[in-house]
Amino acid sequence: MQVRRYTTSELTLRFWAALLLLLTFSTIFIAYVYAEKRIDAANEQRVFSLKVIGELRQSSDDLSRMARSYIATGEYRYKNHFDEIIAIRNGQAARPINYHQVYWDLVDDDNQRPRPAGSRIALLDLAKNAGFTSTELAALQQAKIQSDALALNEIKAMQLLERPEIDPVQKAKNKEQALLAVFDQNYNTGKKAIMQPVATVYSLVDERTADEVEDAMFYALTMRILFILSGLLLFYALWDIKRVHNSILGASVSHLYEQIKAMGRGEVLQSTELRKAKPGSIMSWLGATQLRLNSSIQERQSLIHRLQQKEQYQRTLIDSIPFVVWLKDIHGRYLEVNRKFAEEFPGKDINDLTGKTDAQLFDAQRALSHVVHDKQVLSSGQPQLIQTQRKVGVEQHWFETYKAPVLVEGEYVGTVGLSRDITLEHTAANKLRLSASVFTHAREGIMITDPLGVMIDVNQAFTEITGYSAKQAIGCTPRLLQSEHQDEQSFNALWQSLQQQGFWSGELWSRKASGEDYFQSLTLSAVLDDKGQLQHYVGLFSDITNQYQQQQYLEKIALYDGLTGLSNRSALTQQLQSLLKKTSADQLLAIAYLDLDGFKEINDRHGHETGDQFLIALSERLQAQLTKDELLARIGGDEFVVLLPQLSDKKAGMQKIQQLLDVVAKPVKIDEWMLSVSASIGLTFYPQADTTEAEQLIRQADHAMYQAKQDGKNRCHVFDTDYARSLRGHQETILDIRQALAQKQFRLFYQPKVNMHTGEVIGAEALIRWLHPQKGMVAPALFLPAIEQHSLGVELGYWVIEEALRQLAEWQRQGMTIPVSVNISAYHLQQLDFVNRLQLLLHFYSDVPASLLQLEILETSALNDLTHVQAVMQACIRSGVSFALDDFGTGYSSLTYLKRLPAKVLKIDQSFVRDMLVDPDDLAILKGIIVLANEFKREIVAEGVETTEHGELLLQLGCTHAQGYGIARPMPAEQFMPWKKAWLLPDVWAKACIGGAATISGTDKALTADSKYRAI
């Protein structure tokens, strides 16, 4: 029997036929599922339609039962049920879900539904939506009309029962008639008129829906039969595909797969397998193919052996080359690399590197460089020599790479390359070029001499600085540049240091070719060979004349008074320290502190310019009375200090001081004015029994000068050292304070300032406290007086300012921004560097606006130089800082301070505020201060407000801003924000009349307090 041979096209045709059957099978399955759902839908429609008909019948029965129950019992819940049934049927109320299961007799008195309500829809509309036919709807509507008519009779019967009757007999008759209306023959006839159409509709719907269900079931049966038939056909089509497929393969798929795997392993098919294979099948073709491959494999193995021998020779050759060698194909893959190449990749051998690209072996930048160079070599067809730089470990190395194209049968197939490390050669060449470049282009002058000091080479900068050309300088010694300003001894010391140490660096004067002297910075070094023998001297120098002159100028303005040219306090301190070291036990040093009496009147009457000219003339006259060893210094305003060294005794010093008093007392002519003053001089001598420093001696003379003023001026007072020793306890206090400042024992407390009318917190005053480790809290009055005129007081003052700025910055970060005022002593304010130090602090805390810082000057302080203080305050105000006059009305010269000092706030001393309710004098002073502040356009802050009565009277006087224990005591910074949030304004302050107690008539301005606050 001949075996039929199938082709792949026949297999494809069968496959498409099977696919078509699968689609048909799927379509019939979908239709079958639809038919089943159609049966369910028809059944649901049947049930729903019957429910709608049943609701009409049930609602009619419910209405009758509710009406009869209401008439019989008189309970209104039955009438309410009656009305609700009508409303649900007419679509006026929501229909409960599963309404057909609701039994109205079980609904409780509070009319709660047993189930949630559905939508609002009339019964007839529900029937329309249910798909009733027109005949069915007409019959159903007729039943609805009859039911509505019967319901109307029921309503009338219930209304008869509800008639208001006084006579019980008549009321009973009404009830009897109402019962008769719902039980008589007419009522029963109306019921039949409802039920007959309902029965007709029920029959029609039942017949129609039953037919629809039968039709759906027949359609589903048809689809089920078609589904089974199509499934059988699909199964046959798949079996036929498998039969044809096996015929084409000639074996099963698994068997064919195993034979292919064996062929891949080089195994030969058995002859029995070939005989079993059907002719023309894939299995038979596979056997013939393997026979041909066996012959090819033998030839290939012979060729591989010969190639392996050649590869071994090639590998031995390239591995013996001491450079990095590689061969790449045209796509950049490494075909061959030598061992030197592989050394760059620890842990990898040559086999790991071949077949890789530059991108797989190197970083992106190096790989890109290699690819670019390869393309350049291939495109040009010419070899290239490339120098590159890269890190090897932590050091930079230079490499030289030779690349050439590989040409095979007239076509470029890749590149070959060699690379070697040339770091040593490159470094040597660079050093030579760098040395030449530095020598030529350096901005410093360079000269090279032989061991005898003769110049053998100079650079261009040497010529530019000195004016000597290389031709003029070479062959000469550096003495060519020697200046007369530099002595021979300095040169000898220079060469001695150079010969002994091999190095010298310093500054000295030299002379240019033009004869002009210049100041230079010079460095000389000895250059030795490998054996330590001197070869050359190298000198580097630069012209620093401008820097030297600038330094001299800065030293001058730092050490000399700008007006008179005399030494200032810094220079005085330096000179005095020098004299203290030189003064022997048999010599005396006198320090005289001189302050002019009446100089302020010259300034006030003739102006500051005249006052300055007077100071210049007087300083020249005083200077003329002194010898070259004696020193006159101006340390501020009209204050001078005279140093008188090498005195034989105190009497000689007193005689010199008397001469100075006489000189000062002589009139001085300035323009057309003859001006005269006197002087108060404080005098102290050195050495003393106790060790004394320069600043302490100046302070001693300063204290003595104040005593001279108190004794009547125009005289000299000698400092009493015995009395000073009795103040040793004072010095111990200063030491304790200094130690407390270093150990951070000081704290700032903050007392709020408020607007007593609005309740707004307008600021706070920073008050220093000493938390002593043994004594506890130390009040400021117990330690501040000890350092009032001491440099430690200045240091503590700067600490207070910086701490206040730090706290302001912290509050800003926490969301609170308020001004803070800081007390500043007169001595601190009059320091020459006060403005600079303050500006540095403001710059350091640049996040804090300078306007939040206010400096309070104690009005009780004596400001010696109002002009200087005024200038300091103006400079601070320009930086944004404001000022306040503290304790106003208690000081030296209140009106002068008010006129001359640019303070925008006056703080009324608490001594006036505290007793203003009982002391008419304090009240009068308080009124006067308020008038002055208004006239001078100053703000007012009252201190010492301890009660609400104090605040109420202040508000009536026109003062709204205050601080005191009646508002809040000073508190630590961390308590301030909680206090601010909890602060409540007293009602009496909020309701007070601002300035209501002030009366002004003409030019006479008087303030009078309310009678209940008037001082007695």
Side-chain angles (χ1 to χ4, degrees):
M1 180 178 178
Q2 186 178 1
V3 179
R4 183 180 176 185
R5 294 172 60 186
Y6 293 95
T7 62
T8 54
S9 59
E10 289 178 300
L11 179 63
T12 303
L13 183 62
R14 282 171 169 76
F15 173 77
W16 284 113
L19 181 61
L20 181 61
L21 280 173
L22 178 62
L23 293 175
T24 303
F25 177 79
S26 301
T27 303
I28 293 173
F29 176 74
I30 293 171
Y32 170 67
V33 172
Y34 169 74
E36 293 293 339
K37 289 186 177 180
R38 182 176 170 187
I39 294 174
D40 295 339
N43 283 321
E44 290 175 0
Q45 181 67 25
R46 174 181 174 85
V47 173
F48 182 72
S49 299
L50 294 177
K51 281 183 180 180
V52 172
I53 298 169
E55 181 180 335
L56 178 59
R57 180 192 58 75
Q58 180 181 343
S59 64
S60 178
D61 291 344
D62 288 340
L63 289 173
S64 298
R65 191 166 61 256
M66 294 301 106
R68 289 170 177 174
S69 298
Y70 175 66
I71 295 171
T73 64
E75 293 185 15
Y76 272 94
R77 68 186 181 96
Y78 295 115
K79 184 179 180 182
N80 291 339
H81 297 340
F82 182 92
D83 294 337
E84 188 169 359
I85 293 168
I86 293 291
I88 292 172
R89 190 169 70 180
N90 293 337
Q92 297 168 345
R95 176 174 282 97
I97 297 175
N98 294 328
Y99 183 39
H100 63 283
Q101 296 178 359
V102 175
Y103 189 65
W104 288 98
D105 295 278
L106 299 179
V107 176
D108 54 13
D109 292 340
D110 58 0
N111 205 25
Q112 294 295 318
R113 300 274 68 77
R115 287 174 176 79
S119 60
R120 295 182 181 182
I121 183 170
L123 181 62
L124 291 179
D125 292 337
L126 194 65
K128 291 178 183 178
N129 296 338
F132 281 56
T133 65
S134 58
T135 303
E136 294 166 351
L137 285 174
L140 194 64
Q141 187 173 11
Q142 181 183 359
K144 170 71 166 49
I145 293 172
Q146 293 298 331
S147 179
D148 290 344
L150 188 62
L152 184 61
N153 292 332
E154 292 167 346
I155 292 171
K156 290 179 180 180
M158 289 188 290
Q159 289 176 349
L160 182 63
L161 181 67
E162 293 172 349
R163 288 181 182 176
E165 296 290 349
I166 301 175
D167 186 4
V169 176
Q170 184 62 39
K171 191 171 183 179
K173 288 182 178 181
N174 290 344
K175 181 176 182 181
E176 183 179 354
Q177 291 178 5
L179 286 171
L180 184 61
V182 296
F183 283 100
D184 62 4
Q185 186 61 37
N186 290 332
Y187 186 82
N188 293 330
T189 302
K191 272 289 184 180
K192 290 179 181 180
I194 296 171
M195 296 304 166
Q196 287 177 352
V198 169
T200 300
V201 174
Y202 189 89
S203 298
L204 292 173
V205 170
D206 181 61
E207 182 179 356
R208 175 174 57 81
T209 55
D211 292 341
E212 291 176 355
V213 171
E214 288 180 2
D215 291 342
M217 292 178 66
F218 177 76
Y219 177 75
L221 177 62
T222 303
M223 291 298 104
R224 190 180 299 115
I225 294 171
L226 292 175
F227 174 69
I228 294 171
L229 291 176
S230 62
L232 294 174
L233 288 174
L234 180 61
F235 176 77
Y236 173 77
L238 293 174
W239 175 83
D240 189 48
I241 289 173
K242 183 178 184 303
R243 182 176 60 82
V244 173
H245 175 264
N246 290 340
S247 177
I248 292 173
L249 293 179
S252 65
V253 174
S254 59
H255 183 69
L256 183 63
Y257 174 71
E258 290 298 329
Q259 294 302 324
I260 293 173
K261 285 173 59 179
M263 182 177 175
R265 294 192 298 267
E267 299 176 4
V268 180
L269 288 176
Q270 300 296 324
S271 58
T272 55
E273 296 289 341
L274 293 176
R275 285 196 298 270
K276 289 180 182 178
K278 295 179 180 179
S281 66
I282 293 176
M283 188 68 181
S284 64
W285 171 84
L286 187 64
T289 301
Q290 189 174 21
L291 291 176
R292 292 192 297 271
L293 285 176
N294 288 338
S295 177
S296 299
I297 289 171
Q298 291 177 357
E299 295 178 1
R300 179 176 176 274
Q301 288 176 345
S302 176
L303 179 60
I304 288 174
H305 179 69
R306 292 195 299 271
L307 289 176
Q308 286 176 344
Q309 286 182 332
K310 289 183 179 180
E311 183 180 356
Q312 186 64 37
Y313 299 151
Q314 178 183 336
R315 169 60 53 196
T316 303
L317 174 63
I318 65 173
D319 283 344
S320 63
I321 299 175
F323 307 139
V324 174
V325 181
W326 70 89
L327 175 66
K328 289 194 282 188
D329 64 15
I330 197 169
H331 301 295
R333 289 189 293 268
Y334 284 91
L335 302 178
E336 289 289 347
V337 296
N338 67 348
R339 291 179 182 174
K340 191 70 175 178
F341 186 101
E343 288 176 1
E344 191 174 343
F345 303 91
K348 294 186 177 181
D349 57 20
I350 293 174
N351 295 328
D352 295 331
L353 301 176
T354 53
K356 301 291 180 64
T357 63
D358 290 301
Q360 293 172 313
L361 296 178
F362 306 108
D363 59 81
Q365 183 176 0
R366 185 175 172 187
L368 178 61
S369 174
H370 289 177
V371 171
V372 170
H373 291 147
D374 289 346
K375 288 185 177 180
Q376 291 175 351
V377 169
L378 290 171
S379 61
S380 65
Q382 299 295 325
Q384 283 191 6
L385 190 63
I386 305 159
Q387 285 193 356
T388 56
Q389 182 185 15
R390 71 173 185 270
K391 273 191 174 182
V392 177
V394 296
E395 298 180 351
Q396 289 287 346
H397 281 239
W398 281 88
F399 294 87
E400 183 179 72
T401 303
Y402 173 83
K403 286 189 177 183
V406 177
L407 188 65
V408 177
E409 296 179 357
E411 183 178 356
Y412 293 115
V413 296
T415 58
V416 63
L418 294 88
S419 181
R420 69 187 185 95
D421 191 334
I422 59 168
T423 304
L424 295 178
E425 299 96 308
H426 190 274
T427 303
N430 274 352
K431 285 183 178 180
L432 291 175
R433 287 193 296 269
L434 181 61
S435 299
S437 176
V438 169
F439 186 78
T440 303
H441 299 99
R443 301 307 303 163
E444 292 82 7
I446 302 176
M447 56 181 176
I448 302 175
T449 74
D450 62 14
L452 299 178
V454 177
M455 289 186 283
I456 59 176
D457 200 1
V458 296
N459 68 345
Q460 181 61 32
F462 177 95
T463 300
E464 293 174 356
I465 296 173
T466 66
Y468 288 102
S469 65
K471 186 176 181 180
Q472 292 172 315
I474 293 175
C476 300
T477 66
R479 290 185 179 273
L480 176 70
L481 308 175
Q482 186 172 353
S483 169
E484 295 179 356
H485 285 85
Q486 204 70 41
D487 56 15
E488 187 68 24
Q489 184 178 359
S490 299
F491 273 103
N492 294 334
L494 181 155
W495 283 108
Q496 184 178 0
S497 174
L498 186 61
Q499 291 173 356
Q500 292 177 354
Q501 302 177 10
F503 177 85
W504 183 88
S505 180
E507 298 170 350
L508 50 79
W509 284 98
S510 292
R511 175 166 295 180
K512 298 182 180 181
S514 61
E516 176 187 358
D517 287 334
Y518 68 97
F519 200 65
Q520 68 172 350
S521 174
L522 174 63
T523 299
L524 294 172
S525 301
V527 180
L528 307 179
D529 60 12
D530 296 339
K531 298 179 180 179
Q533 298 297 319
L534 177 65
Q535 295 294 309
H536 305 288
Y537 289 112
V538 177
L540 282 81
F541 65 94
S542 57
D543 185 351
I544 60 170
T545 307
N546 291 336
Q547 297 93 311
Y548 175 77
Q549 292 174 347
Q550 181 69 15
Q551 181 181 355
Q552 294 297 311
Y553 172 73
L554 292 175
E555 289 178 357
K556 181 177 179 181
I557 63 175
L559 298 175
Y560 295 94
D561 178 52
L563 177 65
T564 62
L566 299 175
S567 298
N568 62 11
R569 190 181 188 96
S570 296
L572 169 69
T573 304
Q574 293 178 10
Q575 185 66 22
L576 181 53
Q577 289 173 344
S578 176
L579 290 174
L580 293 180
K581 295 177 182 178
K582 297 177 181 179
T583 303
S584 60
D586 56 347
Q587 291 180 333
L588 286 179
L589 168 64
I591 300 93
Y593 200 107
L594 186 150
D595 184 85
L596 301 181
D597 305 323
F599 176 71
K600 180 177 177 300
E601 286 76 9
I602 294 177
N603 267 341
D604 294 342
R605 179 176 299 178
H606 302 287
H608 293 288
E609 184 176 354
T610 301
D612 290 344
Q613 294 179 10
F614 178 82
L615 289 176
I616 293 172
L618 185 60
S619 64
E620 291 174 351
R621 184 183 292 179
L622 288 171
Q623 187 68 50
Q625 299 297 315
L626 301 178
T627 65
K628 64 177 183 178
D629 295 328
E630 297 169 344
L631 176 68
L632 174 65
R634 179 177 180 239
I635 61 173
D638 57 351
E639 296 180 345
F640 298 85
V641 172
V642 180
L643 300 183
L644 304 174
Q646 300 178 357
L647 296 176
S648 57
D649 52 26
K650 294 183 178 181
K651 182 178 180 181
M654 293 300 297
Q655 291 175 353
K656 192 70 174 183
I657 295 303
Q658 188 58 49
Q659 293 177 11
L660 296 179
L661 286 172
D662 295 340
V663 168
V664 173
K666 293 180 180 178
V668 178
K669 184 177 183 182
I670 305 296
D671 296 332
E672 70 274 14
W673 308 99
M674 291 299 294
L675 306 176
S676 61
V677 296
S678 62
S680 297
I681 297 179
L683 186 64
T684 187
F685 293 95
Y686 180 86
Q688 299 177 1
D690 297 328
T691 303
T692 312
E693 297 180 354
E695 280 292 339
Q696 187 176 354
L697 290 171
I698 295 174
R699 287 197 299 272
Q700 289 179 359
D702 187 12
H703 289 311
M705 180 273 294
Y706 276 108
Q707 188 61 45
K709 280 189 176 294
Q710 293 177 0
D711 292 344
K713 303 180 182 180
N714 193 24
R715 65 190 66 232
C716 174
H717 182 83
V718 180
F719 182 77
D720 189 348
T721 56
D722 294 333
Y723 175 73
R725 281 195 296 273
S726 68
L727 300 177
R728 187 168 300 166
H730 172 77
Q731 297 297 330
E732 293 176 356
T733 302
I734 291 177
L735 289 176
D736 289 344
I737 295 173
R738 191 184 302 278
Q739 183 179 9
L741 184 58
Q743 296 178 356
K744 299 181 179 180
Q745 297 176 8
F746 290 104
R747 298 288 185 274
L748 285 188
F749 280 35
Y750 296 87
Q751 186 174 36
K753 304 175 187 177
V754 302
N755 185 315
M756 296 185 292
H757 185 61
T758 65
E760 178 188 2
V761 179
I762 61 172
E765 180 179 2
L767 300 169
I768 191 169
R769 297 291 186 267
W770 184 0
L771 299 180
H772 197 282
Q774 285 81 35
K775 301 177 182 178
M777 184 74 73
V778 181
L782 299 179
F783 65 88
L784 287 182
I787 57 173
E788 184 176 359
Q789 297 294 323
H790 194 276
S791 59
L792 183 58
V794 175
E795 185 178 353
L796 186 61
Y798 285 126
W799 177 87
V800 171
I801 295 174
E802 182 175 5
E803 178 63 16
L805 289 171
R806 187 200 63 76
Q807 188 58 53
L808 281 171
E810 178 64 24
W811 278 341
Q812 278 193 155
R813 285 190 291 271
Q814 297 175 9
M816 182 177 73
T817 302
I818 62 167
V820 170
S821 60
V822 173
N823 291 297
I824 192 78
S825 69
Y827 181 72
H828 186 184
L829 185 65
Q830 294 176 114
Q831 297 299 306
L832 296 179
D833 61 345
F834 178 79
V835 176
N836 292 336
R837 291 280 298 273
L838 179 63
Q839 290 176 344
L840 284 175
L841 289 174
L842 293 174
H843 178 72
F844 185 77
Y845 292 94
S846 57
D847 292 342
V848 178
S851 58
L852 295 181
L853 179 64
Q854 185 179 79
L855 301 180
E856 295 188 9
I857 305 173
L858 288 175
E859 202 266 339
T860 54
S861 303
L863 300 176
N864 301 326
D865 189 349
L866 275 179
T867 302
H868 173 69
V869 171
Q870 187 178 22
V872 169
M873 292 177 66
Q874 291 289 2
C876 295
I877 290 171
R878 286 193 294 271
S879 297
V881 178
S882 62
F883 283 86
L885 282 179
D886 198 9
D887 297 345
F888 187 77
T890 64
Y892 290 91
S893 182
S894 299
L895 296 179
T896 301
Y897 287 5
L898 183 61
K899 175 184 176 183
R900 299 269 312 268
L901 301 182
K904 73 173 186 178
V905 177
L906 301 182
K907 298 192 71 176
I908 304 175
D909 186 63
Q910 59 181 343
S911 61
F912 303 132
V913 177
R914 186 189 309 111
D915 297 330
M916 69 179 183
L917 300 177
V918 295
D919 191 332
D921 293 334
D922 284 345
L923 181 61
I925 292 173
L926 190 63
K927 294 175 183 177
I929 292 174
I930 294 175
V931 171
L932 281 174
N934 291 332
E935 289 295 330
F936 281 91
K937 295 181 175 58
R938 301 290 199 273
E939 298 177 13
I940 310 171
V941 176
E943 297 181 304
V945 175
E946 297 183 353
T947 64
T948 55
E949 287 79 8
H950 283 100
E952 187 176 3
L953 180 54
L954 284 169
L955 287 169
Q956 292 182 9
L957 294 175
C959 176
T960 58
H961 296 171
Q963 66 184 91
Y965 287 0
I967 299 169
R969 292 177 175 271
M971 64 190 75
E974 60 271 15
Q975 297 178 10
F976 195 92
M977 288 186 67
W979 173 88
K980 183 173 180 290
K981 293 178 181 178
W983 155 250
L984 294 176
L985 179 70
D987 292 339
V988 67
W989 289 0
K991 298 175 182 178
C993 181
I994 306 299
T999 60
I1000 305 175
S1001 61
T1003 58
D1004 182 23
K1005 302 176 182 178
L1007 293 170
T1008 59
D1010 190 275
S1011 59
K1012 70 174 181 176
Y1013 297 126
R1014 189 178 302 281
I1016 301 173

